[in-house]
Amino acid sequence: MKDIFTSQRQKNPKEEWYVSERPEFRIISDEQFEKAQQIKEKNAKQYCQREKRSNKHLFSNLIKCNSCGFSYRRYQKQYSPNRPPKVWWTCSKRSSYGSGRCDSEYIRIDEDWLKSALNTLFKSLLDDRESFFTLVETRCNSIIKEYIRNTSGIVLEEVENRLDELKQERERLKTLAVKALITMDEAEHDMIPINEEIEKLSFRLNETNKTREITQKIKASIQAFLNTFSAFDFSGNITNEELKKVVKEIRVVSKNEIYVYFNIAEDIEGLNFPINISDVVEIDTDSNNRAQRCT
Ligand SMILES: [Zn+2]
């Protein structure tokens, strides 16, 4: 614990750990533990490869279960030789390990329904592109504002000049000590506040540069997204890769809450806001209707 008053913690390197053996708490043998680690590693590798590889279908790796975080999996069944097969997507964890492993209700999304729902959603956003683009820009600006708030009031030149001054002062003290005009202790004592201020100013300078970088990055990402989105044509035969350029994720919370996250900026939190499909597309729960998504 770094600070007992705030309970702030820090991670120490392994060499500095104090390890206390408590054999009475053991529940498995070393062999069992090692074996479990091997299995765990093997499974993780397999799972990774599967996740990476799967771009086979239009929605591969795009639909996520909100309850367990696993991707939805595609199922296909030919009910009659004269009719096209029925294709749907459902939580892969729930379907592989049973309902006990995922808390979500059973949700089955008809692929054709989702395609047409997305098509409608995209069309409606493009028809009213002014408001959509304004919405994206407003989000973007509020994120930029937040970054700037932390570094506001900084005049770059002033900070840089002050840093130069402080560094010169530090050099002067060093020279005095070397020439034995002051003692080493005196020099060290006088350097404490100087070093503190240098550290503080360097930190702020660094933050300001970061803000500038992030602001540029956000603006570039948003422009790129708006261009891609305007040119996107959902009516054609699009691939998983093409769809992923525009859609980051489709998150299924419940039958009535299926959220689309657009791929606006890869790693900037807050910019990828969700849009609920059911705000745009009417939900059809009639079980006789082929376009239904849930059964
Ligand atoms: Zn799930």
Side-chain angles (χ1 to χ4, degrees):
M1 195 154 327
K2 234 164 122 183
D3 184 342
I4 54 163
F5 297 106
T6 61
S7 304
Q8 227 188 338
R9 287 164 168 275
Q10 72 175 38
K11 271 194 181 157
N12 287 338
K14 219 171 174 175
E15 307 83 74
E16 288 173 26
W17 290 3
Y18 293 96
V19 178
S20 143
E21 299 273 352
R22 302 295 293 273
E24 67 271 29
F25 289 162
R26 266 170 181 265
I27 50 170
I28 56 167
S29 68
D30 282 347
E31 293 75 42
Q32 275 177 309
F33 178 77
E34 287 307 329
K35 205 172 169 192
Q37 298 309 305
Q38 280 166 12
I39 295 172
K40 201 175 113 189
E41 229 167 79
K42 204 176 115 202
N43 286 347
K45 255 186 218 152
Q46 264 178 355
Y47 184 68
C48 262
Q49 277 164 0
R50 202 177 63 205
E51 287 279 294
K52 258 184 225 156
R53 202 183 55 216
S54 89
N55 54 4
K56 218 163 100 192
H57 306 291
L58 178 59
F59 296 116
S60 292
N61 252 325
L62 267 173
I63 312 174
K64 295 274 149 84
C65 170
N66 192 58
S67 292
C68 70
F70 272 53
S71 290
Y72 265 44
R73 221 181 113 179
R74 188 177 190 268
Y75 289 88
Q76 183 173 322
K77 198 168 177 184
Q78 187 87 43
Y79 285 100
S80 132
N82 315 320
R83 283 162 71 185
K86 204 142 171 52
V87 179
W88 69 92
W89 292 75
T90 191
C91 170
S92 60
K93 190 173 187 184
R94 200 182 198 282
S95 61
S96 305
Y97 305 113
S99 59
R101 299 293 296 273
C102 169
D103 292 333
S104 73
E105 55 178 328
Y106 178 61
I107 299 168
R108 182 167 134 160
I109 299 180
D110 185 284
E111 190 176 82
D112 286 339
W113 177 85
L114 187 58
K115 266 194 219 170
S116 88
L118 282 179
N119 197 13
T120 311
L121 173 69
F122 278 45
K123 259 200 198 134
S124 83
L125 292 175
L126 276 173
D127 283 348
D128 192 12
R129 74 184 71 199
E130 287 296 308
S131 2
F132 178 55
F133 288 8
T134 311
L135 175 69
V136 176
E137 265 164 357
T138 313
R139 292 270 177 165
C140 168
N141 287 335
S142 73
I143 287 166
I144 293 176
K145 241 187 236 161
E146 222 176 280
Y147 276 113
I148 291 174
R149 197 180 302 141
N150 300 324
T151 46
S152 66
I154 292 187
V155 183
L156 266 187
E157 213 173 302
E158 271 175 24
V159 176
E160 278 163 352
N161 288 344
R162 179 72 187 135
L163 266 173
D164 276 347
E165 262 173 42
L166 289 164
K167 282 174 186 167
Q168 274 168 28
E169 178 62 11
R170 199 161 60 176
E171 283 308 306
R172 197 181 66 86
L173 286 171
K174 262 188 212 164
T175 319
L176 288 177
V178 169
K179 286 182 181 165
L181 293 169
I182 56 171
T183 66
M184 215 42 140
D185 279 350
E186 280 169 339
E188 261 172 31
H189 177 264
D190 288 351
M191 268 188 211
I192 294 171
I194 296 177
N195 284 339
E196 270 172 11
E197 202 182 339
I198 287 180
E199 203 180 311
K200 220 162 79 190
L201 289 177
S202 305
F203 178 75
R204 297 199 82 186
L205 197 65
N206 187 28
E207 286 290 291
T208 314
N209 287 334
K210 232 170 32 197
T211 304
R212 205 187 294 153
E213 242 170 66
I214 288 169
T215 307
Q216 277 165 359
K217 208 168 140 194
I218 294 177
K219 283 187 178 154
S221 318
I222 195 180
Q223 200 47 57
F225 170 75
L226 294 180
N227 289 343
T228 318
F229 189 80
S230 303
F232 195 83
D233 180 14
F234 207 95
S235 54
N237 240 343
I238 56 157
T239 65
N240 178 259
E241 280 95 346
E242 283 167 330
L243 185 57
K244 274 179 182 161
K245 276 184 198 150
V246 180
V247 173
K248 191 186 177 71
E249 194 177 294
I250 297 164
R251 188 159 279 265
V252 184
V253 177
S254 70
K255 286 176 185 176
N256 301 316
E257 282 178 277
I258 299 177
Y259 293 100
V260 177
Y261 288 79
F262 288 104
N263 207 354
I264 299 176
E266 187 69 35
D267 47 3
I268 294 160
E269 227 179 293
L271 202 48
N272 298 305
F273 56 91
I275 292 181
N276 192 350
I277 293 190
S278 57
D279 288 347
V280 189
V281 184
E282 209 179 308
I283 293 158
D284 193 347
T285 44
D286 176 6
S287 61
N288 296 319
N289 192 322
R290 221 196 144 262
Q292 55 135 12
R293 72 180 141 138
C294 311
T295 50

